[in-house]
Amino acid sequence: MRSIRVCFCWRQCPTGRGRKNNMKKTIQEMIALLVLSAVLALLYNALSPTSLRILPRQKADIHSGTAPGETQQAPDAGEQGTPQ
Amino acid sequence: MTAALSFLFRALMGGIFLLAGLSKIADPARFLLTLRGFRIFPDIMERFLAVYVPWLELLLGLSLVLGLLYRASALLLSLLNVLFIAAILSVMARGIEIDCGCFGLLADALKLPDAADWRAVIRNSVFIGLLLAVYRMNNTMLSLEAYLRRADAKKD
């Protein structure tokens, strides 16, 4: 199978097109790394016993009498080690 | 010479961010409290960043150490450090005295200075310099990326 050759550094690229391809490739790699770390973080957080609750609890707001969206100033009881 | 220097910077920066990420992953609640101290982001964003940033540091650090996609990692980490500096300058401008939370549990264990002050800004600026040097340098030693490229060339 024939592979596409992309130069790894703009200094090695003879044309402006090569440089553009190179930058495009770096940006694609950066996006891949950002997405991969987000997936790993969310997966680990879902499975870990020391996970953080990312989405706010609507039910807790109703029981505590605060309006939805209003943040509670009380310390985060149950923030850590909450059973999923 | 350039290859050795690039490897040295890569290993140093990769090691630092790998350990920083691990120490924050070990205690996410502590990192969340640190983020709250900055008083920059809304609650839901703070929670997401407390989960996301340590993993981003871990993955980028690992990528630098292994030498796989290391140029993209170096660029991303330097951008991340620019954001850290902006956050530290923001709390300094508002007169808030907090820990920067840069090294999480590691700061306690090794008694590292971890306050959000000028020292943190200078340290992060040095990091940016080293990371941009890694990004700009052509050659590097002991890189998985170079090994894969050679293997690919042999196959052709």
Side-chain angles (χ1 to χ4, degrees), chain B residues 79-147:
Chain B
L79 290 175
L80 198 64
N81 273 291
V82 169
L83 295 181
F84 289 161
I85 289 177
I88 292 168
L89 289 177
S90 148
V91 289
M92 282 169 68
R94 284 178 287 154
I96 303 169
E97 286 183 15
I98 51 162
D99 276 354
C100 72
C102 308
F103 296 103
L105 292 172
L106 204 67
D108 290 348
L110 301 177
K111 296 193 168 42
L112 296 171
D114 209 26
D117 57 9
W118 282 111
R119 277 181 301 179
V121 173
I122 293 167
R123 186 183 57 217
N124 285 355
S125 305
V126 172
F127 286 176
I128 291 173
L130 295 179
L131 289 163
L132 287 180
V134 170
Y135 175 71
R136 287 300 303 268
M137 282 176 191
N138 292 346
N139 304 315
T140 189
M141 281 163 61
L142 300 173
S143 134
L144 201 58
E145 197 169 292
Y147 172 78

Side-chain angles (χ1 to χ4, degrees), chain A residues 52 73-77 79-80, chain B residues 27-39 43 46-47 49-50 96 98-101:
Chain A
L52 289 178
Q73 293 301 315
D76 285 308
E79 190 82 68
Q80 221 177 340
Chain B
D27 193 357
R30 177 193 164 129
F31 186 50
L32 176 63
L33 289 177
T34 308
L35 280 176
R36 283 191 177 157
F38 279 86
R39 292 183 225 161
D43 183 58
E46 282 169 351
R47 286 163 184 270
L49 288 176
I96 303 169
I98 51 162
D99 276 354
C100 72

Side-chain angles (χ1 to χ4, degrees), chain A residues 1 3 5 8-12 22-23 25-26 29-30 33-38 40-42 44-45 50-56 71 76 79-80, chain B residues 25-29 32-33 36 43-44 47-48 50-52 55-56 59-60 63 69 71-73 75-76 79 135-136 138-139 145 149 152-153 156:
Chain A
M1 197 175 148
S3 60
R5 290 211 172 275
F8 279 83
C9 173
W10 62 269
R11 284 179 197 165
Q12 293 164 359
N22 214 9
M23 199 60 220
K25 188 173 172 286
T26 307
E29 287 173 358
M30 284 164 73
L33 285 165
L34 286 170
V35 172
L36 183 63
S37 51
L40 285 174
L42 293 175
Y44 177 81
N45 193 54
T50 58
S51 64
L52 289 178
R53 193 180 291 275
I54 294 175
L55 295 172
T71 51
D76 285 308
E79 190 82 68
Q80 221 177 340
Chain B
I25 290 169
D27 193 357
L32 176 63
L33 289 177
R36 283 191 177 157
D43 183 58
I44 191 164
R47 286 163 184 270
F48 176 72
V51 172
Y52 181 54
W55 276 93
L56 187 62
L59 192 76
L60 298 181
S63 155
L69 307 182
R71 297 186 73 235
S73 296
L75 203 56
L76 265 180
L79 290 175
Y135 175 71
R136 287 300 303 268
N138 292 346
N139 304 315
E145 197 169 292
R149 226 185 306 164
D152 194 37
D156 287 350

